[in-house]
Amino acid sequence: MRKKPSYSADGNSDKITADSPQSNHEEGKKKKKTFSTAKYDLSRHSDTLDRRKVEKALAPAQLTADSWTPPMKSESSSPKRSPTVADEQTENKMLNDRIRRRVGMPSPWSCTLFTLMATLASILLMLLTLHSFMTRQLDSKGCDMYYTRSLFFNFADFDTEHTRFATKYSLHLYREIGFDEDSKVKGVPVLFIPGNAGSYRQARSLASETVQHYYNTVQQDKQALNAGATSIDFFSVDFNEDFTAFHGQTLLDQAEYLNDAVAYILSLYHDPRRSRRDPRLPDPSSVILIGHSMGGVAARTMLIMPNYQSNSVNTIITMSAPHARSPVSVDADLVRTYQRINDHWRESYSQKWASDNPLWHVTLISIAGGTLDTTVPSDYASLSSLVPNTHGFTVFTSSIPGMWTGADHNQAVWCVQLVRPIARSIFEAMDVHRPSQTKPRAERMRVFKRWYLTGMEETAEKVLPHKEPSTLLTLEDQSNSINPAGQRLVLRNMGQSEKPKVHVLPIPPQDIPGQRKFTFLSNLPLEENANGAHLDLLFCSVLPLQPGHSAAVFSLDIDLSDGRAGSTRLACKNAASDRISLPASYRTSVYPFDKAPSFSYLQYDLDDIGEHQFVAVLDKSADSSHGWAIAEFSDNSESVVHVKTGLQRLLAFGARLKLPAGRPLVTTFDIPALHSSLLAFKLRMGKQACGDEAEMFTPLLRQYLSEPHESRYFVNVKEANVSLHGIAPFMPPPLRSQAASKSLSLQFWTDPTCDSSIDVSLQIDIAGSLGKLVMRYRTVFAAFPLLVVALVLRKQFKLYDEKGAFVSFMESMDFCLRTSMPLLFLALTFLAISLAVSSSTTSTPTSTGWAVWGSNTTESALDFTKNDLLLGSQDPIFWFLVPMFGLLSVGLCIIINYTALAVILLLQLPLKILTSRPASTRKESVKRILLPAFSAASPKRRIVTASVLLLLVSTVIPYQFAYLVACIVQLATCVRASRSAQDNRSEANYNFYNYAHSILILMLCVLPINIPVLVVWIHNLAVHWLTPFSSHHNVLSVMPFILLVETLTSGRIVPRTATRLTYVTNVFFFLIAIYAAVYGISYAYLLHHLVNCVAAWLMVLHFSGSDFTLSSFARILEGHDDEGGDVKKRP
């Protein structure tokens, strides 16, 4: 009796034992396998049949109960055995069982009610968030368009002898048609740097304003000319609309080119053929830089480059520039470049001595657009973590006097209300008599603060204490124009008298408690030494009568005594230089940027005016007008109210504020609990009742932060949308410890003559707050969806290894939504709370080396990356964002899944047409159920294809391009797999399709991380810049993807693992999910490499089905085990 062959107990080996009479025959002769082994080998091709049903079906064939292996003999091989009745019954039963089981198999489109409800909730939440972002809590647009007649001169001789980027970038000089059309340089050099995908022509508005202001105003102002003002040579760089925000190497290339351009610009002033500059003036040694968006970051990058000339840059003004952190984190070079730049600036300003600080002479001004900027979060424009307030500051456009409106990302370069103060500040900060072409740093900072800040900041410098008396005011001793001490001065309908009239308030002594502040408000302008001025505000001291003292020392002599004896002479200082402009607020006012003449406001602490005895309001109006003025001394305890309500109570019940009837002119409410940029509120204000007297103005509201300098004005206020750019997610901590206590303040100007109280309520705007999440957390959708997909794949592999069925993506999603996903989001929620508490309680140094100059303490104790993890929030109250983003990511992943299914279904249509068969051949389809799903190309051709692609990656193309190709190939594989599964309806084909489809979803989630760098590379090709990237050519970054995709094109599913390797797969996917949540937002570029490691592990699993040799590797790529096997090609 012939001995029956034995098989391994685990069912994964098809080797025949040594005591089998067939073993020597197989070793001596290479034979073709049978239909079953060549076309559908359970163990070697990992077909996921239900083992119990297979074993039951094969029981009549008298195989072992532990395993099953198809017969090893081919029909054409010798010796030949006729099939028995039991064999035929077994094969038919197995075939029928599999067909019946697969007829009712769930469709990849199917979705359980629970998953459907989660998807609908996610989509609803997503729509509500987008609707809030686009419609609620929006600033009004008030920018006016600037029109120019521009003329640009290109410097063709700035070629490769000067810079290696001459064939890619270019330098231009702006001139205005009708004013200056000369290409020779003659003034102060200013260089404009465009931002991400920006154009050099964006400099037109600002450059035109400088030209027109010089020829129309400065040229006729001798005082300005003597102070060092002159014309401006406005240069602009053409970066060919490079995408700097996506690529770190491009940012470094631009910075290198800019340093070369600065050196070339300075050389022009030494060439008599190119310069018409006054030879008596020193040649310029520095250039003023103005950067828009990423151009501002490129300007700061210049100072860390090797080709930077020391002191060639000392003034940088940026608009909508993301200084604090990178706008996206998809490129490792960009993240590292940002870290280098910011570390250099922080370390420089941490030096004890100015001589050790290479940036001591540099001033940096950052202008942010506010909520209208939907390209770059305005929070990122903050300099609080980079520069001390002695060298720079951040200001929002809504704070700039006369502008009072936000600006979107592109409006910043052409908004009339913005380019005018920038141009005027440059003229005032320049000094052509110095080689640096600018005033000293401290003077420049005063100029910029005066032009960009409101003047109400605590650090605002007053001009009045440093002035000399310029006005001699003579009053009659018995004059009744002196107001009683402590009484408010109210003037209406000014200009009633034919001659000037003075109203005097005595200044209280400083030792009187409560009298600590002087405030003044009028609808008339305050101008110093201006002819035809209607109003003057003077601070006066009694001028002692001294022999020989003459009034000639005063520029203005005002005698109101009518020549009578017993008069008093006052030496007065004009306070017009400290005037603060406020938007006019009347019943007809709608926006703060309306064209109505602004209010004049002044405020002084008693320490600033303590040397004077009187405040004189001089009414010089010759005609009767509707002018009014209010002046008073108020107690700080009455004008400043600290609201001690906590944030939780504010969110639950809001705040009820009240302006009493006997209130001062200005009342400020400080609300320390309101500091988050993620919250929005609704403010409602009651009516101001004035009785018989007509009100002089309607309530005016200013909401402000002291750091950064953000003020928003609301005129004729009844309702107001209150939102701020305070403490924002992922922002590094400030250099100054006191800056961490920034909070919201509400400042009200109300008519004090209206003897009635006003109620004010502040309520959370939940719908409006949803929209605030978009700009701060938009990059979360590059990380959290990968968390969801990793958990889904983890579940799929776990079920596959345990039960032999690779379930569909939606089936696994339903399992995860019921089990692992809620638990993980709960754990991440507790982690977010812990990180927020740790970040908010971390102690910061009380001083730094620059804040208290001479101290040995530096900012090195601060951890500037402590807010990079998970939500990046410093407030535990936002714990709910973790499950919220999880729910949104679930919905997004399901949308991606169904979108992929729809695309696959559409792409099947031409495949169906090409593979359509006549009805006579359909009866053979049942026999093809056990055939391979795909025909394999020759291993030689596929190895050559992969090798060529990897060679191109290592030399010419970035690996992101190869990854895109892999995604396209994987999509084609899914189309073929779906077509095969629908035609054959076998479990093997369904398993493979589900596997290929899930890998496609995983790759699609990583694709957005690779697209930005790919866009940069394609743009370089478009501008004929063929120099390869210095990075992104690591073949190991894409080789596992290519090998995995090539393997899947053969229709081969990953083998099942019954050993500890199963835990390795689970751990891989779990670690990806954890990393995507914790680090994925701040370091998204690493997500690609982690998924790349998973692809490498899957290739290891594919190789584990056979001995790893070159020949087995070729067989795996080809899709079968034996190159000599008879493989039937599928149509």
Side-chain angles (χ1 to χ4, degrees), residues 722-755:
V722 178
S723 61
L724 60 148
H725 292 83
I727 297 179
F730 307 109
M731 290 292 292
L735 288 174
R736 301 179 297 281
S737 58
Q738 63 268 24
S741 61
K742 55 189 177 183
S743 60
L744 178 70
S745 296
L746 301 176
Q747 193 170 20
F748 293 89
W749 284 266
T750 56
D751 190 344
T753 62
C754 299
D755 193 16

Side-chain angles (χ1 to χ4, degrees), residues 945-961:
T945 301
S947 300
V948 169
L949 187 58
L950 293 176
L951 179 63
L952 291 176
V953 169
S954 64
T955 55
V956 180
I957 66 175
Y959 70 77
Q960 288 83 358
F961 180 81

